[in-house]
């Protein structure tokens, strides 16, 4: 039995979120609950919590597509040991979230380059968008050299 939950595991159906179709493109949705530790002195979600949640959304999206970080880093995917690193990140904080609210981090692909991937992310409470983010990550070897994104991973990003 694998220690990584599958997208269809009935015991943990949403631990890694789920792959979805967003406007005809491959996407991912990750449920989040706001805990006390996610808030600041005002009782609102602290801005860095959104950064963490978006990172989790990107990581689980990658994991469900078969390109998880552990396999990239140790090279067990058959390639040179590598990792995705953040190149650029922009956030628009539109509305606050509060403790105990249930949110969703939605992630979708905007563009796939030779060694880079640009993702659009939204943190939503129901139909209300609280935060919008655009993040560009680059695949690099452990020595820091940019690497091409594999054809299999590229195809999994592009297929809805």
């Amino acid at each position: 039995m694998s220690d990584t939950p599958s997208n269809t595991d009935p015991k943990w159906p949403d631990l890694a979120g789920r792959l979805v179709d967003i406007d005809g493109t491959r996407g991912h949705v990750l449920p989040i609950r706001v805990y006390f530790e996610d808030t600041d002195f005002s009782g609102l979600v602290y801005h860095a919590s959104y950064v963490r949640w978006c990172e989790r959304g990107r990581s689980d999206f990658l994991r469900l597509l078969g390109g998880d970080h552990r396999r990239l880093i140790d090279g067990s995917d058959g390639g040179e040991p590598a990792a995705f690193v953040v190149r650029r990140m922009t956030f628009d904080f539109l509305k606050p979230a509060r403790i105990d609210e249930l949110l969703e981090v939605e992630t979708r692909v905007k563009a796939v380059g030779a060694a880079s991937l640009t993702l659009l992310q939204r943190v939503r409470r129901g139909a209300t968008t609280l935060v919008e983010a655009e993040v560009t990550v680059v695949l690099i070897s452990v020595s820091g050299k940019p690497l091409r994104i594999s054809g299999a991973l590229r195809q999994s990003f592009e297929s809805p």
Side-chain angles (χ1 to χ4, degrees), residues 45-58 86 89-91 93 105 121 123 131 133 135:
V45 170
Y46 184 62
H47 71 279
S49 295
Y50 295 104
V51 176
R52 276 195 327 272
W53 295 337
C54 284
E55 172 65 31
R56 291 177 194 167
R58 290 189 308 275
V86 173
M89 180 182 284
T90 60
F91 278 79
F93 299 93
V105 178
Q121 295 187 279
V123 178
V131 171
V135 182

Side-chain angles (χ1 to χ4, degrees), residues 6-18:
S6 74
N7 197 32
T8 59
D9 186 340
K11 185 175 176 187
W12 298 106
D14 287 319
L15 182 62
R18 60 196 169 279

Side-chain angles (χ1 to χ4, degrees), residues 29 46 52 68 78 81 84 92 95 127 135 139 158:
V29 175
Y46 184 62
R52 276 195 327 272
D68 64 88
F84 279 104
D92 286 323
K95 295 182 185 272
V135 182
L139 184 64
E158 295 170 351

Side-chain angles (χ1 to χ4, degrees), residues 51-116:
V51 176
R52 276 195 327 272
W53 295 337
C54 284
E55 172 65 31
R56 291 177 194 167
R58 290 189 308 275
S59 293
D60 283 333
F61 185 28
L62 188 65
R63 179 179 294 109
L64 291 177
L65 291 174
D68 64 88
H69 292 295
R70 182 175 37 183
R71 287 180 35 199
L72 283 171
I73 290 169
D74 68 17
S76 65
D77 65 347
E80 182 176 354
F84 279 104
V85 297
V86 173
R87 165 80 167 78
R88 180 178 301 115
M89 180 182 284
T90 60
F91 278 79
D92 286 323
F93 299 93
L94 306 171
K95 295 182 185 272
R98 293 174 174 80
I99 193 164
D100 289 331
E101 290 183 331
L102 297 175
L103 311 176
E104 289 185 334
V105 178
E106 179 185 280
T107 304
R108 65 183 168 140
V109 175
K110 178 180 180 183
V112 181
S116 67

